Amino acid sequence: MLLQSNRFKFLKLGLLVFITINLSAQSSEKLTTVVSFPEIPQKFCYLSKKVNETSGLIYYDNHIWTFNDSQGEPEIYRIDNVTGKIIQTVRLNNAKNTDWEDITHDENYIYIGDFGNNLGNRNDLRIYKVNKSMIDDRKVVKVPSEIIAFSYNDQTSFTVNNRSNDYDCESLISFGDSLIIFTKNWVNGNTRMYKMPKLAGMYQLDPVSSFEINGLVTGADYHEEKNALILIGYKDYQPFLYYFTDFDGQQLGNHQSYKIKLNKMQGAQTEGVCWLNDDLIIFSNEQTKVFMQTVFQLNPTDVVKHIE
């Protein structure tokens, strides 16, 4: 598929980008630059109605892969990049979709995060690990998976607090020999970062870093060659992206970061995000009253070039 570049369009929009400066929550005193993006990003493709609750994205084997979140089937779907139709279903035959929220991959494995925790009381948080070599060319494939289970050492209360707790999670990246997750804090609007090995087992995690997001983080992806981290989320259904340069896997906000506010997408529930190539990211939103289930594309580097 030939992808259209937004480079020249963004240059035309340069004068319309409004910039403000805020101080991040990190003691490093680094600045976060806030950019208001003045239009709806370019559509990459619509998605099948079967994945109207798309919750995470990867780009693997020249295709988008996604899935539905809580109470969906324990399946991931290969998507036709043009039509948005499902062209392959991979079912995890020893898994349950309690609340699948994000997906990532490395050279050999796909990892699916079953760690959504709206109520704040889950004690069965896990990540399913699928060997890519088990996925053949059949239209429907059933595969086994390993389980990476974990808990938060800093969580002391498991009282039900529906969307009023700071132990929900919807974001997952692969980083070297580790997996990193970012929490969705309903109460304080921050995010905490935790790391764990990629090996099956049970892990008790301590937070590695935190960052003042001022919103709800719903997806993440990391570009190894660029050392660039992308977080996506929303506040009051106003979507945003965070673009972290020189991400070291140890701290958030210890280098320059950018918050890209998608001001024209009010009412969208942005969920999944991934790097498509060295320049473009793609991100998805669930079906809402305002937007269909859709994948959009954006060049974050071009956006921040306007302010350099």
Side-chain angles (χ1 to χ4, degrees):
M1 173 182 179
L2 295 177
L3 302 176
Q4 297 181 9
S5 172
N6 286 333
R7 184 176 302 275
F8 296 109
K9 181 167 66 175
F10 289 153
L11 291 175
K12 295 178 182 178
L13 294 171
L15 295 177
L16 299 176
V17 176
F18 303 96
I19 305 164
T20 59
I21 303 294
N22 288 332
L23 189 66
S24 80
Q26 290 289 78
S27 59
S28 60
E29 297 184 353
K30 297 294 181 181
L31 294 177
T32 296
T33 302
V34 182
V35 185
S36 294
F37 190 71
E39 67 172 28
I40 296 174
Q42 182 178 338
K43 177 179 68 69
F44 184 83
C45 71
Y46 292 118
L47 290 172
S48 164
K49 290 182 179 180
K50 186 171 181 177
V51 283
N52 65 318
E53 291 191 348
T54 170
S55 195
L57 289 179
I58 57 171
Y59 192 74
Y60 162 57
D61 198 20
N62 296 316
H63 287 89
I64 298 171
W65 295 73
T66 191
F67 56 90
N68 284 316
D69 65 11
S70 58
Q71 306 307 313
E73 295 295 324
E75 299 171 341
I76 59 175
Y77 306 108
R78 185 196 297 259
I79 303 297
D80 184 284
N81 297 336
V82 176
T83 66
K85 294 181 178 180
I86 295 171
I87 55 177
Q88 186 181 32
T89 297
V90 176
R91 185 177 182 89
L92 281 59
N93 57 20
N94 61 331
K96 178 182 178 181
N97 185 344
T98 301
D99 196 353
W100 289 14
E101 288 293 354
D102 206 4
I103 186 171
T104 191
H105 67 122
D106 57 23
E107 184 177 357
N108 297 311
Y109 294 95
I110 295 172
Y111 306 87
I112 303 118
D114 187 358
F115 41 46
N117 193 16
N118 285 334
L119 300 180
N121 67 335
R122 283 189 65 177
N123 56 15
D124 60 347
L125 305 171
R126 66 192 64 184
I127 296 168
Y128 292 108
K129 178 180 178 179
V130 176
N131 194 321
K132 289 179 176 178
S133 67
M134 302 294 292
I135 302 174
D136 57 32
D137 294 332
R138 289 174 295 170
K139 189 172 182 180
V140 178
V141 182
K142 294 183 179 180
V143 298
S145 63
E146 301 177 67
I147 296 176
I148 303 169
F150 67 92
S151 63
Y152 303 113
N153 263 344
D154 52 324
Q155 183 174 8
T156 58
S157 173
F158 290 83
T159 302
V160 173
N161 286 300
N162 188 16
R163 294 174 173 81
S164 296
N165 72 86
D166 287 336
Y167 289 92
D168 196 1
C169 183
E170 297 192 5
S171 305
L172 171 68
I173 66 169
S174 170
F175 188 89
D177 59 1
S178 299
L179 296 172
I180 298 179
I181 61 174
F182 304 90
T183 58
K184 178 183 181 181
N185 292 16
W186 290 95
V187 178
N188 64 23
N190 297 341
T191 189
R192 296 184 313 283
M193 183 173 83
Y194 299 82
K195 294 178 69 174
M196 71 192 84
K198 290 180 174 179
L199 301 176
M202 174 67 194
Y203 303 96
Q204 295 177 322
L205 308 181
D206 291 305
V208 175
S209 181
S210 64
F211 192 82
E212 184 179 342
I213 289 290
N214 190 27
L216 303 174
V217 175
T218 57
D221 197 30
Y222 173 66
H223 192 300
E224 184 176 3
E225 287 74 23
K226 293 167 67 76
N227 285 336
L229 171 69
I230 287 283
L231 301 181
I232 196 167
Y234 55 85
K235 180 178 181 181
D236 299 325
Y237 296 100
Q238 177 65 66
F240 58 76
L241 295 158
Y242 267 88
Y243 177 35
F244 294 89
T245 62
D246 299 309
F247 178 66
D248 61 7
Q250 299 298 323
Q251 281 192 323
L252 285 171
N254 59 337
H255 292 91
Q256 178 66 54
S257 59
Y258 303 88
K259 181 177 184 179
I260 303 171
K261 298 171 68 175
L262 302 175
N263 285 350
K264 294 297 184 180
M265 292 194 68
Q266 178 67 46
Q269 188 169 336
T270 44
E271 290 283 342
V273 66
C274 70
W275 288 94
L276 187 66
N277 53 42
D278 288 344
D279 299 314
L280 292 173
I281 62 165
I282 53 176
F283 64 92
S284 63
N285 67 272
E286 292 187 4
Q287 181 183 26
T288 68
K289 293 180 180 180
V290 182
F291 289 91
M292 293 177 58
Q293 59 276 12
T294 310
V295 177
F296 296 93
Q297 68 181 54
L298 185 70
N299 186 327
T301 304
D302 267 352
V303 173
V304 302
K305 276 182 180 179
H306 294 308
I307 61 180
E308 295 177 349

